[in-house]
Amino acid sequence: MDELTRKAYGLRRDVIEEIYRSAAGHVGGDLSVMDILTVLYFKVMNVSPENRNSPDRDRFFLSKGHCADALYMVLGEKGFFDKQEAIETFSAFGSRFIGHPNTDVEGIEMNSGSLGHGLALGVGTALAAKMDGRDYRTYVVLGDGEMAEGSNYEAMMAAAHYKLDNLCATVDLNRLQISGTTREVMCSDDMGEKFRAFGWHVISVEDGNDCGQLLAAYEQAAEVKGRPTVVIAHTVKGRGVSFMEDNKSWHHGVMTEEQYKMAVRELEEVLA
C-alpha cells in the first residue's frame, strides 16, 4: 500500500472514532472524500501550519461543508491543531469543532455548509490572485448532490469568463445524497459535459478513491492554461466500511457499538 493510501485509511479510522464518540456527523461523505482531501493536503497544495498566514499559500474551500468531520482529521494530521482534541470534542457543547467548517479552527479558510456557495467564493479568490499578481492556486471540493444548486452554474460561467486557470474544482461524485440517489433527486449524469459546456477543462477520474489517479489528475490540472479545471472524481460513499458503502442510510448515521467495532476492524485489517 502506498503512503497516501495508507494515510487516507488511517484518517478514515480517525473519522470513525470521531463520529462514534459524538454520535453525529456525515460519515458516508467523509469516507468518500477522504482520498481527495489526503492527496490535496499531503501532496498537492502549498499550505501548512508554517505558511497559514502567507498571502502566497494555496486556498482550499470545502463547499460540501457537512463533511467537516473529515477535514478536521486531515487538518489535525497536517499539524494545524491537536487532532485528538477534534476527535474527543467534535459536536460537543462549546467545542469549536462543530458540524460544519468554521474559521475558529486553524486552517479553515471559510465557514461553509450552505451548499452551492463554495465555488463562487473560489472564483472570487482565484480572481483576486490574478488581480494581485500572485501565483497561489485555489481548490474547491463540492458534492454531486450540491450541484443541483443554481449558484454553482453562475460560478462556473464566471470562472471560464475570467480564464481562471488557477482554480481547480473537484466534484466528489458518489451518486448519493440524504434523500436518495442523485439520479432520483436531481439527475447529475454527464457532469463533465456540464462543466465542459461552460468552458472548463474536465478531468474524469474513474476511481476517485484511488490516490494515484487523483494525484495524476491534479498534476495535469496544474498544467492547464487559460481556463479553470474540474476533476470529476467517481467515488463510493462510505468507502472502506462494507456496510456503509453505497448506502444512502449512512449519509448521516449513528453507529451502534457493534457497527463501530466492525468498522474499526475492517479499516484496521486494511492497515495491517
Side-chain angles (χ1 to χ4, degrees):
M1 182 184 296
D2 65 87
E3 178 184 354
L4 283 173
T5 301
R6 175 170 290 277
K7 187 175 291 292
Y9 270 90
L11 289 165
R12 283 185 171 93
R13 169 67 180 88
D14 291 334
V15 163
I16 292 299
E17 189 69 28
E18 174 191 26
I19 288 179
Y20 179 67
R21 284 172 179 251
S22 66
H26 292 78
V27 64
D30 292 331
L31 298 180
S32 73
V33 80
M34 186 57 81
D35 304 286
I36 295 167
L37 297 180
T38 299
V39 171
L40 286 173
Y41 272 95
F42 293 97
K43 203 67 176 180
V44 174
M45 295 193 302
N46 174 33
V47 62
S48 68
E50 292 71 31
N51 75 349
R52 62 185 170 190
N53 295 318
S54 169
D56 295 315
R57 73 191 183 280
D58 287 341
R59 275 39 168 202
F60 175 81
F61 304 124
L62 183 65
S63 192
K64 49 175 286 180
H66 53 283
C67 290
D69 340 348
L71 181 57
Y72 293 152
M73 294 301 95
V74 171
L75 290 173
E77 181 74 13
K78 187 76 176 177
F80 281 93
F81 47 78
D82 180 2
K83 183 172 61 176
Q84 195 62 31
E85 179 191 353
I87 290 173
E88 294 177 0
T89 69
F90 175 67
S91 284
F93 178 75
S95 174
R96 58 190 176 137
F97 297 101
I98 60 176
H100 290 80
N102 72 99
T103 53
D104 286 338
V105 176
E106 297 90 337
I108 300 291
E109 296 279 1
M110 66 169 280
N111 296 352
S112 65
S114 297
L115 297 178
H117 291 187
L119 188 57
L121 189 64
V123 167
T125 304
L127 183 58
K130 294 283 190 182
M131 295 173 69
D132 292 341
R134 296 195 176 276
D135 294 329
Y136 68 81
R137 291 177 61 78
T138 297
Y139 294 86
V140 181
V141 170
L142 307 107
D144 52 353
E146 176 183 8
M147 293 305 298
E149 298 288 349
S151 51
N152 283 316
Y153 295 88
E154 296 179 47
M156 289 157 62
M157 181 166 53
H161 175 79
Y162 290 110
K163 299 179 172 59
L164 299 181
D165 50 15
N166 57 348
L167 173 64
C168 180
T170 303
V171 178
D172 178 20
L173 200 151
N174 60 35
R175 304 175 310 282
L176 289 173
Q177 55 192 103
I178 191 168
S179 51
T181 69
T182 51
R183 178 169 289 183
E184 294 167 338
V185 178
M186 185 61 68
C187 186
S188 61
D189 288 355
D190 299 322
M191 184 63 67
E193 292 303 315
K194 292 177 173 64
F195 275 91
R196 196 171 284 113
F198 279 89
W200 286 57
H201 179 70
V202 177
I203 303 172
S204 182
V205 177
E206 182 177 350
D207 184 353
N209 296 120
D210 184 297
C211 291
Q213 292 184 35
L214 288 167
L215 180 57
Y218 291 124
E219 288 174 344
Q220 179 185 337
E223 299 299 319
V224 173
K225 302 301 179 186
R227 52 182 172 162
T229 295
V230 62
V231 174
I232 308 294
H234 297 265
T235 62
V236 175
K237 197 154 192 164
R239 179 61 180 262
V241 178
S242 61
F243 62 87
M244 294 182 183
E245 287 191 353
D246 207 26
N247 185 339
K248 69 179 182 182
S249 299
W250 290 101
H251 178 87
H252 185 292
V254 177
M255 287 172 279
T256 65
E257 182 179 1
E258 182 181 358
Q259 288 170 328
Y260 161 74
K261 289 178 178 178
M262 184 183 302
V264 169
R265 183 171 62 252
E266 290 184 4
L267 292 170
E268 291 185 345
E269 284 175 355
V270 173
L271 291 166

